């Protein structure tokens, strides 16, 4: 085969090879990559092997059914993912360039409190502005949300972060006051002002230990040389508010979850506890679809400028 024909052949197949490689890198599995690409496992394997042969590198370490990237694979994945995502989103971006954003899908990952209290306003506005776009809300914990972003199963996440990994971009754009809630007949309900020390003898109702709220409060109390007690772990602010009303304990919640209709004593704790920030979260280097960019512009107009400044 003449050299020019061989080069053309490789260029025509390189995108297929890179799609297979990126899908396998994303899922950590040849079989899952094949499912996502609607190909057979042998086809995906052959495409990756051809890419490795062409580039004279080993891209994956294979350990049974699971695979992991070699150092060379990590570098190629960082270079190839934006290219593959860009090609696959070419038609949508072309249409968006001319103001046609009337089809497609938007996947958003968020925790229960964000989904209940922060997102409804923005989801309604977005759905009104772009009725042809299918919106999928994934109610997940922070840990699962990060996994979805890294696997490109979500376009973006919205939530609160205390620690931001190197492969993630987070821009806080809104904040809410920490608020102590107690039953109406609780001893603390009679006080005009409540300190962290006042809270310590009483059992708190908190979200599960692995979530950010627990770590956030541990940091605040430990900096004050104090420890709090936990009487009950419960998932979700609505559940926590209900059990506080029932007299099962007290809690420190984010003010965004309070409607004013609860049968609770409510006391802001801004003097002792920093406000809790929320914002948009994306994978660093992620190719953002026009749908994702439009939603991000709606919820945080400064996000894209911020991410460019960070070298997203």
């Amino acid at each position: 085969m003449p050299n020019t024909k061989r080069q053309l052949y490789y260029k025509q197949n390189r995108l297929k090879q890179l799609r297979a490689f990126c899908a396998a890198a994303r899922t950590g599995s040849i079989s899952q990559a094949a499912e996502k690409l609607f190909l057979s496992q042998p086809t995906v394997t052959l495409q990756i092997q051809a890419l490795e042969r062409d580039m004279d590198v080993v891209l994956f370490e294979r350990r049974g059914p699971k695979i992991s990237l070699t150092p060379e694979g990590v570098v190629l994945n960082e270079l190839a993912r934006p290219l593959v995502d860009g090609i696959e989103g070419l038609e949508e971006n072309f249409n968006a360039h001319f103001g046609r954003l009337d089809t497609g899908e938007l996947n958003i990952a968020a925790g229960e409190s964000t989904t209940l209290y922060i997102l409804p306003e923005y989801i309604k506005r977005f759905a009104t502005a772009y009725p042809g776009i299918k919106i999928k809300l994934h109610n997940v914990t922070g840990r699962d949300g990060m996994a979805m972003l890294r696997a490109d199963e979500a376009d973006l996440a919205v939530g609160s972060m205390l620690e931001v990994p190197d492969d993630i971009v987070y821009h806080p754009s809104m904040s809410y006051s920490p608020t102590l809630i107690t039953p109406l007949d609780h001893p603390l309900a009679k006080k005009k002002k409540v300190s962290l020390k006042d809270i310590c003898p009483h059992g708190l109702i908190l979200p599960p230990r692995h979530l950010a709220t627990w770590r956030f409060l541990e940091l605040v109390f430990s900096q004050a040389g104090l420890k709090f007690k936990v009487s009950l772990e419960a998932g979700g602010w609505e559940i926590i508010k209900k059990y506080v009303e029932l007299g099962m304990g007290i809690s420190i919640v984010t003010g965004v979850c309070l409607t004013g209709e609860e049968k609770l004593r409510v006391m802001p704790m801004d003097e002792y506890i920093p406000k809790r920030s929320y914002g948009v979260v994306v994978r660093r280097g992620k190719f953002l679809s026009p749908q994702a960019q439009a939603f991000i512009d709606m919820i945080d107009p400064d996000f894209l400028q911020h991410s460019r400044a960070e070298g997203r």
Side-chain angles (χ1 to χ4, degrees):
M1 183 185 297
N3 188 49
T4 54
K5 289 186 177 180
R6 184 178 294 114
Q7 289 177 343
L8 179 61
Y9 172 80
Y10 284 143
K11 287 180 180 178
Q12 289 174 337
N13 284 274
R14 183 54 51 85
L15 178 58
K16 294 179 182 178
Q17 295 170 358
L18 290 175
R19 286 182 74 237
F21 163 71
C22 288
R26 189 176 296 150
T27 60
S29 165
I30 296 293
S31 61
Q32 290 181 34
E35 287 180 16
K36 285 184 175 292
L37 297 174
F38 301 101
L39 298 173
S40 66
Q41 291 185 39
T43 298
V44 172
T45 299
L46 287 172
Q47 289 174 345
I48 293 173
Q49 289 175 346
L51 184 61
E52 290 179 319
R53 184 172 59 252
D54 292 347
M55 302 191 70
D56 194 25
V57 292
V58 176
L59 297 172
F60 290 105
E61 294 178 0
R62 294 163 176 83
R63 298 175 181 174
K66 299 299 289 184
I67 56 176
S68 59
L69 290 168
T70 63
E72 293 82 359
V74 170
V75 172
L76 182 61
N77 188 42
E78 290 176 354
L79 294 172
R81 280 178 84 166
L83 297 175
V84 172
D85 290 347
I87 290 294
E88 293 185 341
L90 180 62
E91 183 178 352
E92 291 178 349
N93 275 279
F94 180 79
N95 289 331
H97 182 78
F98 293 98
R100 300 193 300 266
L101 191 56
D102 50 9
T103 61
E105 185 174 285
L106 177 65
N107 282 268
I108 302 171
E112 183 176 282
S113 59
T114 304
T115 303
L116 279 175
Y117 309 117
I118 296 175
L119 285 180
E121 171 195 348
Y122 298 105
I123 294 295
K124 184 176 181 180
R125 283 171 53 194
F126 187 84
T128 301
Y130 307 105
I133 296 175
K134 183 179 181 181
I135 304 171
K136 288 187 178 180
L137 280 176
H138 302 270
N139 183 9
V140 293
T141 63
R143 185 185 304 169
D144 291 339
M146 289 299 99
M148 291 188 72
L149 287 179
R150 288 174 173 135
D152 281 342
E153 294 171 354
D155 297 292
L156 62 115
V158 180
S160 178
M161 297 192 73
L162 300 180
E163 301 165 353
V164 184
D166 291 340
D167 63 333
I168 295 297
V169 176
Y170 168 63
H171 184 225
S173 59
M174 57 196 88
S175 61
Y176 301 95
S177 296
T179 306
L180 176 70
I181 57 173
T182 74
L184 295 175
D185 59 353
H186 193 274
L188 293 181
K190 301 177 178 65
K191 297 175 69 72
K192 290 185 178 181
K193 185 177 179 181
V194 176
S195 68
L196 295 180
K197 188 175 181 180
D198 293 329
I199 292 171
C200 291
H202 305 279
L204 286 170
I205 302 175
L206 293 180
R209 181 185 291 268
H210 68 275
L211 299 182
T213 297
W214 193 304
R215 299 199 312 274
F216 180 67
L217 290 178
E218 275 187 331
L219 178 64
V220 169
F221 276 78
S222 65
Q223 287 177 341
L226 300 169
K227 285 187 177 181
F228 56 79
K229 297 194 305 182
V230 177
S231 59
L232 180 66
E233 288 186 38
W237 294 130
E238 289 301 313
I239 295 172
I240 288 173
K241 289 191 296 183
K242 184 65 176 177
Y243 278 88
V244 172
E245 283 184 354
L246 292 173
M248 300 292 293
I250 63 177
S251 188
I252 299 172
V253 301
T254 304
V256 69
C257 76
L258 297 170
T259 65
E261 298 178 1
E262 296 88 359
K263 297 176 182 178
L264 298 167
R265 175 78 163 91
V266 174
M267 288 166 275
M269 298 294 293
D270 301 72
E271 182 178 344
Y272 305 101
I273 304 174
K275 288 187 175 183
R276 189 75 175 272
S277 68
Y278 288 77
V280 173
V281 187
V282 300
R283 175 176 61 78
R284 188 177 296 278
K286 166 74 174 173
F287 176 85
L288 293 173
S289 69
Q291 295 86 349
Q293 291 189 42
F295 185 81
I296 290 172
D297 283 342
M298 192 172 284
I299 196 171
D300 182 3
D302 297 326
F303 179 84
L304 295 178
Q305 181 179 351
H306 162 80
S307 61
R308 280 193 291 268
E310 280 203 357
R312 181 186 70 78

